[in-house]
Amino acid sequence: MSRPAGREPRRLTRWWRRRSLRTRLTVIAATAIAVSVFMAFQVASELLDWELRDTAEDQLRADSRLLATDAERAGLAQVQLPPYPGSGRLVRVILPDGSTRTPAGQPALPPVSEHAGRVAQGASADLMESNDIDEDGYLIYTLRAGDGAVQVARVANDSPINRFGFGMLLIGLLCVVGGALVGRTVARAGLAPIDRLTAAAVRVAHTQDLDADIPDEGGGEIRRLIQSINDMLAALRDSRRAQRLLAEDAAHELKTPLTSLRLNVELLIRLDRRGTLDSTLPAESRTRLLDDLGAQVAELSTLAAELTDLARGDVTDESTDLLDLADVVVAAATRARSRVPDIEVALDVTSVWVSGRPAALQRAVLNLIDNAGKWSPADQPVQVRLRAEGASAVLEVDDAGPGIDAVDVPRVFDRFYRADSARALPGSGLGLSIVQRVVDAHGGRVTVARSARGGALLRVDLPPAAPPGRITRPTAGS
């Protein structure tokens, strides 16, 4: 059963990809040197062959002229042809009738060719022929002399080329081996920073020590790679530090409601076991205690939800949509009224389109309204205004409360931070931190100032988006 034609190339590709970078560089260096040596051998062989052939042809022409001079002086039939010495040139005289004369003991030359016969007949002055069909080929030069011609030939000798090729083969093998060694040495030296970088990364992975930066060495790509990994380690350190602070702050914030909840539950259990629950706690006290338990459970639930939302950071499956921020504000105000029926929200919103995540933006607006509702007096509504101002969509939420002290302004958006004046109020200190995270994720900015009514004014600036069409929205209020 035959194999598919493309299987072998794919197998070779997989084998190559499984090799280390050091092995690849070694193979590439050795291959490059081998190809270079082969090309040099081909070029040098051709040049050497041309040079030897030119030299042999020049020598044959010179010897032919001497023999032709003697033949013209003594005649083709009487010219002296010394016996063949056993090596060297071979000579032949072509008589006018087409017969030939050769020295005694000389090896037989190939028959006179048709072109050489024309030279003897006077059709041309000379002719250089190469009879190299087999390994006993000859290089023959025919020169017109008298009424015939003389020929001088040499055996085509490839031994210099063969010796040269053998020498080049040995040199090529040495160069390939040397190239492989040099390539491996260069690869080892060039990849040494990567080896140290790999060892440092493995050490960080095993020890979980993110504080040890990798030493900056090398240049170019290696330096940029090391700097990128150090930047990644710094980001991981910041992330771990943020997680640790979040866990510590969460534990601290959870301790108080959990302790209060545990004490109240233990009190109820202890009284129930003694059978004195009804006598010790009148109906009014039990109602108050159960209300406290409900409030504490609600506080824990809110804190857990805010912690979950904060821990998620920017990781969310919610897609970014083109939306009317006025719809988001109205929905958030409706939710705020349903959660706290006593809160009064006055809306003054106009249609402003933004690109964002609806649920995240609604949560941020809801947190702003909840925060303002804690401080506004019962007879003073929370004012929420939305408008387009310059190149921003501006959302303002203000209350008529006591405002934020100047010392608390720099930390008002910190996680779990609560001013001394807010310790007695419900809350976790995460609401405004979530607001800032959502606004930052949408490319906006949130600031805090004092409102004209003396309370806190929180302002959110978001980049607007082009609306899908002209929409007119009347001013809403309640």
Side-chain angles (χ1 to χ4, degrees), residues 84-133:
Y84 181 66
S87 62
R89 68 175 187 173
L90 296 89
V91 298
R92 181 166 58 183
V93 176
I94 304 176
L95 300 176
D97 58 1
S99 61
T100 61
R101 295 180 57 211
T102 58
Q106 177 178 284
L109 287 170
V112 177
S113 67
E114 180 182 353
H115 298 289
R118 291 198 184 106
V119 174
Q121 296 172 5
S124 61
D126 61 354
L127 173 67
M128 184 68 70
E129 295 178 288
S130 177
N131 182 7
D132 53 1
I133 298 176

mmCIF file of all heavy atoms in Angstrom, residues 84-133:
data_model
loop_
_atom_site.group_PDB
_atom_site.id
_atom_site.type_symbol
_atom_site.label_atom_id
_atom_site.label_comp_id
_atom_site.label_asym_id
_atom_site.label_seq_id
_atom_site.Cartn_x
_atom_site.Cartn_y
_atom_site.Cartn_z
ATOM 1 N N TYR A 84 57.855 6.879 -31.305
ATOM 2 C CA TYR A 84 57.060 7.351 -30.152
ATOM 3 C C TYR A 84 57.807 7.040 -28.863
ATOM 4 O O TYR A 84 58.212 5.884 -28.623
ATOM 5 C CB TYR A 84 55.693 6.658 -30.159
ATOM 6 C CG TYR A 84 54.782 7.096 -29.033
ATOM 7 C CD1 TYR A 84 54.310 8.400 -28.973
ATOM 8 C CD2 TYR A 84 54.408 6.189 -28.043
ATOM 9 C CE1 TYR A 84 53.471 8.796 -27.944
ATOM 10 C CE2 TYR A 84 53.573 6.587 -27.007
ATOM 11 C CZ TYR A 84 53.105 7.890 -26.967
ATOM 12 O OH TYR A 84 52.273 8.280 -25.941
ATOM 13 N N PRO A 85 58.051 8.035 -28.022
ATOM 14 C CA PRO A 85 58.842 7.803 -26.800
ATOM 15 C C PRO A 85 58.088 7.060 -25.700
ATOM 16 O O PRO A 85 58.659 6.717 -24.668
ATOM 17 C CB PRO A 85 59.197 9.227 -26.354
ATOM 18 C CG PRO A 85 58.098 10.080 -26.908
ATOM 19 C CD PRO A 85 57.682 9.444 -28.201
ATOM 20 N N GLY A 86 56.841 6.820 -25.885
ATOM 21 C CA GLY A 86 56.063 6.104 -24.860
ATOM 22 C C GLY A 86 55.069 6.984 -24.117
ATOM 23 O O GLY A 86 54.197 6.469 -23.405
ATOM 24 N N SER A 87 55.215 8.290 -24.212
ATOM 25 C CA SER A 87 54.275 9.209 -23.550
ATOM 26 C C SER A 87 54.359 10.560 -24.248
ATOM 27 O O SER A 87 55.262 10.791 -25.061
ATOM 28 C CB SER A 87 54.585 9.349 -22.055
ATOM 29 O OG SER A 87 55.878 9.901 -21.869
ATOM 30 N N GLY A 88 53.475 11.423 -23.927
ATOM 31 C CA GLY A 88 53.497 12.762 -24.492
ATOM 32 C C GLY A 88 52.596 12.864 -25.705
ATOM 33 O O GLY A 88 51.618 12.140 -25.868
ATOM 34 N N ARG A 89 53.011 13.732 -26.631
ATOM 35 C CA ARG A 89 52.151 14.039 -27.767
ATOM 36 C C ARG A 89 52.141 12.883 -28.765
ATOM 37 O O ARG A 89 53.061 12.083 -28.831
ATOM 38 C CB ARG A 89 52.614 15.314 -28.446
ATOM 39 C CG ARG A 89 53.970 15.127 -29.125
ATOM 40 C CD ARG A 89 54.372 16.348 -29.890
ATOM 41 N NE ARG A 89 55.596 16.088 -30.659
ATOM 42 C CZ ARG A 89 56.119 16.925 -31.528
ATOM 43 N NH1 ARG A 89 55.532 18.104 -31.733
ATOM 44 N NH2 ARG A 89 57.227 16.627 -32.201
ATOM 45 N N LEU A 90 51.100 12.869 -29.614
ATOM 46 C CA LEU A 90 50.967 11.914 -30.698
ATOM 47 C C LEU A 90 50.831 12.702 -32.000
ATOM 48 O O LEU A 90 50.154 13.751 -32.025
ATOM 49 C CB LEU A 90 49.749 10.999 -30.519
ATOM 50 C CG LEU A 90 49.767 10.060 -29.296
ATOM 51 C CD1 LEU A 90 49.161 10.755 -28.080
ATOM 52 C CD2 LEU A 90 48.988 8.774 -29.595
ATOM 53 N N VAL A 91 51.528 12.232 -33.080
ATOM 54 C CA VAL A 91 51.525 12.975 -34.330
ATOM 55 C C VAL A 91 51.053 12.054 -35.458
ATOM 56 O O VAL A 91 51.134 10.820 -35.372
ATOM 57 C CB VAL A 91 52.928 13.541 -34.658
ATOM 58 C CG1 VAL A 91 53.366 14.514 -33.575
ATOM 59 C CG2 VAL A 91 53.942 12.415 -34.822
ATOM 60 N N ARG A 92 50.555 12.713 -36.519
ATOM 61 C CA ARG A 92 50.115 11.974 -37.697
ATOM 62 C C ARG A 92 50.165 12.926 -38.894
ATOM 63 O O ARG A 92 49.801 14.107 -38.759
ATOM 64 C CB ARG A 92 48.711 11.434 -37.499
ATOM 65 C CG ARG A 92 48.199 10.625 -38.697
ATOM 66 C CD ARG A 92 46.953 9.837 -38.344
ATOM 67 N NE ARG A 92 45.851 10.653 -37.862
ATOM 68 C CZ ARG A 92 44.693 10.146 -37.436
ATOM 69 N NH1 ARG A 92 44.526 8.821 -37.380
ATOM 70 N NH2 ARG A 92 43.738 10.956 -37.017
ATOM 71 N N VAL A 93 50.594 12.358 -40.023
ATOM 72 C CA VAL A 93 50.668 13.131 -41.260
ATOM 73 C C VAL A 93 49.600 12.590 -42.202
ATOM 74 O O VAL A 93 49.509 11.373 -42.420
ATOM 75 C CB VAL A 93 52.057 13.021 -41.907
ATOM 76 C CG1 VAL A 93 52.081 13.753 -43.253
ATOM 77 C CG2 VAL A 93 53.121 13.608 -40.987
ATOM 78 N N ILE A 94 48.792 13.492 -42.753
ATOM 79 C CA ILE A 94 47.749 13.120 -43.706
ATOM 80 C C ILE A 94 48.259 13.473 -45.098
ATOM 81 O O ILE A 94 48.509 14.656 -45.401
ATOM 82 C CB ILE A 94 46.430 13.852 -43.401
ATOM 83 C CG1 ILE A 94 45.967 13.597 -41.960
ATOM 84 C CG2 ILE A 94 45.340 13.438 -44.387
ATOM 85 C CD1 ILE A 94 44.728 14.375 -41.561
ATOM 86 N N LEU A 95 48.454 12.459 -45.952
ATOM 87 C CA LEU A 95 48.971 12.643 -47.307
ATOM 88 C C LEU A 95 47.840 13.100 -48.230
ATOM 89 O O LEU A 95 46.648 12.975 -47.893
ATOM 90 C CB LEU A 95 49.578 11.337 -47.804
ATOM 91 C CG LEU A 95 50.759 10.804 -46.952
ATOM 92 C CD1 LEU A 95 51.217 9.448 -47.465
ATOM 93 C CD2 LEU A 95 51.896 11.803 -46.916
ATOM 94 N N PRO A 96 48.202 13.624 -49.399
ATOM 95 C CA PRO A 96 47.157 14.111 -50.323
ATOM 96 C C PRO A 96 46.172 13.041 -50.739
ATOM 97 O O PRO A 96 45.003 13.354 -51.008
ATOM 98 C CB PRO A 96 47.972 14.603 -51.511
ATOM 99 C CG PRO A 96 49.292 14.988 -50.934
ATOM 100 C CD PRO A 96 49.575 13.979 -49.858
ATOM 101 N N ASP A 97 46.584 11.773 -50.809
ATOM 102 C CA ASP A 97 45.642 10.738 -51.200
ATOM 103 C C ASP A 97 44.757 10.255 -50.053
ATOM 104 O O ASP A 97 43.981 9.309 -50.211
ATOM 105 C CB ASP A 97 46.397 9.541 -51.791
ATOM 106 C CG ASP A 97 47.405 8.954 -50.801
ATOM 107 O OD1 ASP A 97 47.479 9.488 -49.642
ATOM 108 O OD2 ASP A 97 48.090 7.980 -51.161
ATOM 109 N N GLY A 98 44.903 10.855 -48.874
ATOM 110 C CA GLY A 98 44.081 10.495 -47.725
ATOM 111 C C GLY A 98 44.715 9.480 -46.795
ATOM 112 O O GLY A 98 44.195 9.227 -45.708
ATOM 113 N N SER A 99 45.864 8.879 -47.217
ATOM 114 C CA SER A 99 46.554 7.942 -46.314
ATOM 115 C C SER A 99 47.279 8.725 -45.232
ATOM 116 O O SER A 99 47.432 9.945 -45.314
ATOM 117 C CB SER A 99 47.529 7.078 -47.127
ATOM 118 O OG SER A 99 48.500 7.915 -47.741
ATOM 119 N N THR A 100 47.742 7.988 -44.211
ATOM 120 C CA THR A 100 48.370 8.642 -43.060
ATOM 121 C C THR A 100 49.690 7.982 -42.740
ATOM 122 O O THR A 100 49.933 6.812 -43.075
ATOM 123 C CB THR A 100 47.458 8.560 -41.823
ATOM 124 O OG1 THR A 100 47.250 7.179 -41.499
ATOM 125 C CG2 THR A 100 46.139 9.264 -42.064
ATOM 126 N N ARG A 101 50.572 8.756 -42.107
ATOM 127 C CA ARG A 101 51.852 8.264 -41.591
ATOM 128 C C ARG A 101 51.898 8.580 -40.099
ATOM 129 O O ARG A 101 51.529 9.663 -39.671
ATOM 130 C CB ARG A 101 53.024 8.940 -42.297
ATOM 131 C CG ARG A 101 53.150 8.624 -43.779
ATOM 132 C CD ARG A 101 54.364 9.379 -44.322
ATOM 133 N NE ARG A 101 55.565 9.035 -43.596
ATOM 134 C CZ ARG A 101 56.597 9.853 -43.387
ATOM 135 N NH1 ARG A 101 56.538 11.085 -43.872
ATOM 136 N NH2 ARG A 101 57.658 9.465 -42.714
ATOM 137 N N THR A 102 52.376 7.601 -39.293
ATOM 138 C CA THR A 102 52.517 7.793 -37.843
ATOM 139 C C THR A 102 53.866 7.261 -37.406
ATOM 140 O O THR A 102 54.464 6.394 -38.081
ATOM 141 C CB THR A 102 51.412 7.040 -37.094
ATOM 142 O OG1 THR A 102 51.475 5.651 -37.439
ATOM 143 C CG2 THR A 102 50.040 7.608 -37.424
ATOM 144 N N PRO A 103 54.441 7.772 -36.332
ATOM 145 C CA PRO A 103 55.725 7.270 -35.846
ATOM 146 C C PRO A 103 55.611 5.809 -35.432
ATOM 147 O O PRO A 103 54.534 5.321 -35.079
ATOM 148 C CB PRO A 103 56.023 8.164 -34.654
ATOM 149 C CG PRO A 103 55.200 9.394 -34.863
ATOM 150 C CD PRO A 103 53.969 8.923 -35.569
ATOM 151 N N ALA A 104 56.723 5.157 -35.432
ATOM 152 C CA ALA A 104 56.763 3.755 -35.027
ATOM 153 C C ALA A 104 56.483 3.633 -33.530
ATOM 154 O O ALA A 104 56.998 4.412 -32.720
ATOM 155 C CB ALA A 104 58.141 3.157 -35.358
ATOM 156 N N GLY A 105 55.650 2.655 -33.178
ATOM 157 C CA GLY A 105 55.333 2.387 -31.775
ATOM 158 C C GLY A 105 54.277 3.292 -31.177
ATOM 159 O O GLY A 105 53.967 3.186 -29.981
ATOM 160 N N GLN A 106 53.771 4.167 -31.978
ATOM 161 C CA GLN A 106 52.759 5.099 -31.443
ATOM 162 C C GLN A 106 51.391 4.427 -31.421
ATOM 163 O O GLN A 106 51.018 3.732 -32.364
ATOM 164 C CB GLN A 106 52.721 6.366 -32.298
ATOM 165 C CG GLN A 106 51.651 7.367 -31.862
ATOM 166 C CD GLN A 106 51.664 8.636 -32.680
ATOM 167 O OE1 GLN A 106 52.524 9.480 -32.480
ATOM 168 N NE2 GLN A 106 50.730 8.739 -33.614
ATOM 169 N N PRO A 107 50.602 4.643 -30.364
ATOM 170 C CA PRO A 107 49.244 4.084 -30.329
ATOM 171 C C PRO A 107 48.420 4.655 -31.470
ATOM 172 O O PRO A 107 48.648 5.767 -31.956
ATOM 173 C CB PRO A 107 48.701 4.528 -28.965
ATOM 174 C CG PRO A 107 49.909 4.818 -28.151
ATOM 175 C CD PRO A 107 50.954 5.316 -29.105
ATOM 176 N N ALA A 108 47.466 3.858 -31.919
ATOM 177 C CA ALA A 108 46.626 4.286 -33.036
ATOM 178 C C ALA A 108 45.691 5.398 -32.598
ATOM 179 O O ALA A 108 45.070 5.347 -31.530
ATOM 180 C CB ALA A 108 45.821 3.095 -33.562
ATOM 181 N N LEU A 109 45.632 6.391 -33.431
ATOM 182 C CA LEU A 109 44.706 7.507 -33.208
ATOM 183 C C LEU A 109 43.358 7.174 -33.845
ATOM 184 O O LEU A 109 43.271 6.287 -34.710
ATOM 185 C CB LEU A 109 45.257 8.783 -33.820
ATOM 186 C CG LEU A 109 46.440 9.433 -33.082
ATOM 187 C CD1 LEU A 109 47.027 10.553 -33.931
ATOM 188 C CD2 LEU A 109 46.000 9.952 -31.730
ATOM 189 N N PRO A 110 42.305 7.849 -33.468
ATOM 190 C CA PRO A 110 41.009 7.641 -34.123
ATOM 191 C C PRO A 110 41.108 7.943 -35.608
ATOM 192 O O PRO A 110 41.973 8.720 -36.045
ATOM 193 C CB PRO A 110 40.086 8.619 -33.404
ATOM 194 C CG PRO A 110 40.750 8.901 -32.105
ATOM 195 C CD PRO A 110 42.225 8.819 -32.368
ATOM 196 N N PRO A 111 40.275 7.354 -36.437
ATOM 197 C CA PRO A 111 40.314 7.642 -37.876
ATOM 198 C C PRO A 111 40.160 9.136 -38.144
ATOM 199 O O PRO A 111 39.585 9.890 -37.352
ATOM 200 C CB PRO A 111 39.111 6.858 -38.422
ATOM 201 C CG PRO A 111 38.843 5.798 -37.411
ATOM 202 C CD PRO A 111 39.234 6.371 -36.083
ATOM 203 N N VAL A 112 40.736 9.526 -39.273
ATOM 204 C CA VAL A 112 40.662 10.947 -39.641
ATOM 205 C C VAL A 112 39.197 11.316 -39.859
ATOM 206 O O VAL A 112 38.469 10.659 -40.622
ATOM 207 C CB VAL A 112 41.479 11.208 -40.922
ATOM 208 C CG1 VAL A 112 41.351 12.670 -41.350
ATOM 209 C CG2 VAL A 112 42.940 10.847 -40.690
ATOM 210 N N SER A 113 38.782 12.348 -39.190
ATOM 211 C CA SER A 113 37.387 12.765 -39.292
ATOM 212 C C SER A 113 37.138 13.466 -40.610
ATOM 213 O O SER A 113 38.062 13.858 -41.322
ATOM 214 C CB SER A 113 37.028 13.691 -38.129
ATOM 215 O OG SER A 113 37.737 14.914 -38.247
ATOM 216 N N GLU A 114 35.882 13.608 -40.923
ATOM 217 C CA GLU A 114 35.500 14.264 -42.167
ATOM 218 C C GLU A 114 35.980 15.706 -42.189
ATOM 219 O O GLU A 114 36.454 16.210 -43.206
ATOM 220 C CB GLU A 114 33.983 14.197 -42.323
ATOM 221 C CG GLU A 114 33.477 14.847 -43.600
ATOM 222 C CD GLU A 114 31.951 14.797 -43.697
ATOM 223 O OE1 GLU A 114 31.308 14.137 -42.842
ATOM 224 O OE2 GLU A 114 31.406 15.430 -44.626
ATOM 225 N N HIS A 115 35.882 16.385 -41.048
ATOM 226 C CA HIS A 115 36.310 17.793 -40.980
ATOM 227 C C HIS A 115 37.818 17.897 -41.128
ATOM 228 O O HIS A 115 38.318 18.814 -41.792
ATOM 229 C CB HIS A 115 35.856 18.410 -39.661
ATOM 230 C CG HIS A 115 34.357 18.436 -39.488
ATOM 231 N ND1 HIS A 115 33.558 19.267 -40.227
ATOM 232 C CD2 HIS A 115 33.541 17.702 -38.676
ATOM 233 C CE1 HIS A 115 32.289 19.071 -39.877
ATOM 234 N NE2 HIS A 115 32.258 18.107 -38.928
ATOM 235 N N ALA A 116 38.540 16.954 -40.515
ATOM 236 C CA ALA A 116 40.002 16.976 -40.676
ATOM 237 C C ALA A 116 40.386 16.690 -42.117
ATOM 238 O O ALA A 116 41.367 17.249 -42.654
ATOM 239 C CB ALA A 116 40.631 15.957 -39.740
ATOM 240 N N GLY A 117 39.635 15.797 -42.828
ATOM 241 C CA GLY A 117 39.907 15.541 -44.236
ATOM 242 C C GLY A 117 39.724 16.780 -45.081
ATOM 243 O O GLY A 117 40.473 17.004 -46.047
ATOM 244 N N ARG A 118 38.772 17.612 -44.747
ATOM 245 C CA ARG A 118 38.568 18.854 -45.497
ATOM 246 C C ARG A 118 39.761 19.789 -45.321
ATOM 247 O O ARG A 118 40.138 20.520 -46.235
ATOM 248 C CB ARG A 118 37.287 19.544 -45.052
ATOM 249 C CG ARG A 118 36.006 18.789 -45.442
ATOM 250 C CD ARG A 118 34.815 19.723 -45.380
ATOM 251 N NE ARG A 118 33.570 19.027 -45.648
ATOM 252 C CZ ARG A 118 32.664 18.721 -44.743
ATOM 253 N NH1 ARG A 118 32.853 19.089 -43.478
ATOM 254 N NH2 ARG A 118 31.572 18.083 -45.092
ATOM 255 N N VAL A 119 40.330 19.802 -44.095
ATOM 256 C CA VAL A 119 41.522 20.629 -43.867
ATOM 257 C C VAL A 119 42.661 20.144 -44.761
ATOM 258 O O VAL A 119 43.393 20.939 -45.379
ATOM 259 C CB VAL A 119 41.934 20.592 -42.387
ATOM 260 C CG1 VAL A 119 43.267 21.330 -42.184
ATOM 261 C CG2 VAL A 119 40.854 21.218 -41.521
ATOM 262 N N ALA A 120 42.840 18.814 -44.849
ATOM 263 C CA ALA A 120 43.903 18.258 -45.702
ATOM 264 C C ALA A 120 43.673 18.586 -47.162
ATOM 265 O O ALA A 120 44.627 18.720 -47.946
ATOM 266 C CB ALA A 120 43.989 16.742 -45.507
ATOM 267 N N GLN A 121 42.433 18.736 -47.555
ATOM 268 C CA GLN A 121 42.107 19.071 -48.934
ATOM 269 C C GLN A 121 42.141 20.564 -49.190
ATOM 270 O O GLN A 121 41.886 21.018 -50.318
ATOM 271 C CB GLN A 121 40.723 18.520 -49.286
ATOM 272 C CG GLN A 121 40.641 17.006 -49.247
ATOM 273 C CD GLN A 121 39.225 16.477 -49.411
ATOM 274 O OE1 GLN A 121 38.303 17.275 -49.643
ATOM 275 N NE2 GLN A 121 39.054 15.162 -49.295
ATOM 276 N N GLY A 122 42.428 21.357 -48.165
ATOM 277 C CA GLY A 122 42.542 22.794 -48.341
ATOM 278 C C GLY A 122 41.271 23.558 -48.123
ATOM 279 O O GLY A 122 41.202 24.760 -48.419
ATOM 280 N N ALA A 123 40.217 22.915 -47.593
ATOM 281 C CA ALA A 123 38.951 23.626 -47.370
ATOM 282 C C ALA A 123 39.074 24.625 -46.223
ATOM 283 O O ALA A 123 38.369 25.649 -46.194
ATOM 284 C CB ALA A 123 37.835 22.627 -47.076
ATOM 285 N N SER A 124 39.930 24.365 -45.261
ATOM 286 C CA SER A 124 40.161 25.299 -44.145
ATOM 287 C C SER A 124 41.596 25.159 -43.689
ATOM 288 O O SER A 124 42.296 24.194 -44.058
ATOM 289 C CB SER A 124 39.194 25.015 -42.994
ATOM 290 O OG SER A 124 39.392 23.693 -42.507
ATOM 291 N N ALA A 125 42.041 26.123 -42.879
ATOM 292 C CA ALA A 125 43.454 26.158 -42.494
ATOM 293 C C ALA A 125 43.769 25.231 -41.331
ATOM 294 O O ALA A 125 44.833 24.599 -41.288
ATOM 295 C CB ALA A 125 43.853 27.585 -42.140
ATOM 296 N N ASP A 126 42.874 25.146 -40.361
ATOM 297 C CA ASP A 126 43.167 24.310 -39.190
ATOM 298 C C ASP A 126 41.859 23.901 -38.542
ATOM 299 O O ASP A 126 40.782 24.386 -38.889
ATOM 300 C CB ASP A 126 44.069 25.025 -38.192
ATOM 301 C CG ASP A 126 43.425 26.302 -37.656
ATOM 302 O OD1 ASP A 126 42.333 26.689 -38.151
ATOM 303 O OD2 ASP A 126 43.978 26.942 -36.737
ATOM 304 N N LEU A 127 41.999 22.981 -37.582
ATOM 305 C CA LEU A 127 40.817 22.467 -36.890
ATOM 306 C C LEU A 127 41.247 21.909 -35.546
ATOM 307 O O LEU A 127 42.234 21.166 -35.460
ATOM 308 C CB LEU A 127 40.151 21.362 -37.711
ATOM 309 C CG LEU A 127 38.991 20.628 -37.029
ATOM 310 C CD1 LEU A 127 37.802 21.569 -36.842
ATOM 311 C CD2 LEU A 127 38.584 19.394 -37.844
ATOM 312 N N MET A 128 40.504 22.290 -34.472
ATOM 313 C CA MET A 128 40.719 21.743 -33.126
ATOM 314 C C MET A 128 39.536 20.846 -32.814
ATOM 315 O O MET A 128 38.388 21.283 -32.836
ATOM 316 C CB MET A 128 40.836 22.852 -32.083
ATOM 317 C CG MET A 128 41.150 22.349 -30.693
ATOM 318 S SD MET A 128 42.818 21.648 -30.517
ATOM 319 C CE MET A 128 43.817 23.147 -30.673
ATOM 320 N N GLU A 129 39.822 19.574 -32.539
ATOM 321 C CA GLU A 129 38.780 18.595 -32.263
ATOM 322 C C GLU A 129 38.988 17.991 -30.888
ATOM 323 O O GLU A 129 40.121 17.880 -30.407
ATOM 324 C CB GLU A 129 38.802 17.464 -33.304
ATOM 325 C CG GLU A 129 38.469 17.900 -34.709
ATOM 326 C CD GLU A 129 38.573 16.734 -35.658
ATOM 327 O OE1 GLU A 129 39.714 16.303 -35.933
ATOM 328 O OE2 GLU A 129 37.513 16.249 -36.116
ATOM 329 N N SER A 130 37.894 17.616 -30.313
ATOM 330 C CA SER A 130 37.935 16.934 -29.018
ATOM 331 C C SER A 130 37.175 15.631 -29.147
ATOM 332 O O SER A 130 35.971 15.620 -29.385
ATOM 333 C CB SER A 130 37.319 17.809 -27.922
ATOM 334 O OG SER A 130 37.314 17.109 -26.688
ATOM 335 N N ASN A 131 37.853 14.548 -28.999
ATOM 336 C CA ASN A 131 37.238 13.221 -29.078
ATOM 337 C C ASN A 131 37.234 12.625 -27.676
ATOM 338 O O ASN A 131 38.118 11.854 -27.303
ATOM 339 C CB ASN A 131 38.022 12.322 -30.055
ATOM 340 C CG ASN A 131 37.373 10.948 -30.202
ATOM 341 O OD1 ASN A 131 36.291 10.723 -29.678
ATOM 342 N ND2 ASN A 131 38.057 10.045 -30.897
ATOM 343 N N ASP A 132 36.258 13.039 -26.877
ATOM 344 C CA ASP A 132 36.203 12.605 -25.469
ATOM 345 C C ASP A 132 34.949 11.805 -25.199
ATOM 346 O O ASP A 132 34.309 11.944 -24.166
ATOM 347 C CB ASP A 132 36.282 13.805 -24.512
ATOM 348 C CG ASP A 132 35.236 14.851 -24.861
ATOM 349 O OD1 ASP A 132 34.462 14.622 -25.808
ATOM 350 O OD2 ASP A 132 35.206 15.893 -24.179
ATOM 351 N N ILE A 133 34.577 10.975 -26.166
ATOM 352 C CA ILE A 133 33.400 10.144 -25.973
ATOM 353 C C ILE A 133 33.619 9.154 -24.848
ATOM 354 O O ILE A 133 32.735 8.889 -24.037
ATOM 355 C CB ILE A 133 33.042 9.419 -27.285
ATOM 356 C CG1 ILE A 133 32.707 10.446 -28.381
ATOM 357 C CG2 ILE A 133 31.881 8.462 -27.088
ATOM 358 C CD1 ILE A 133 32.426 9.823 -29.735
#
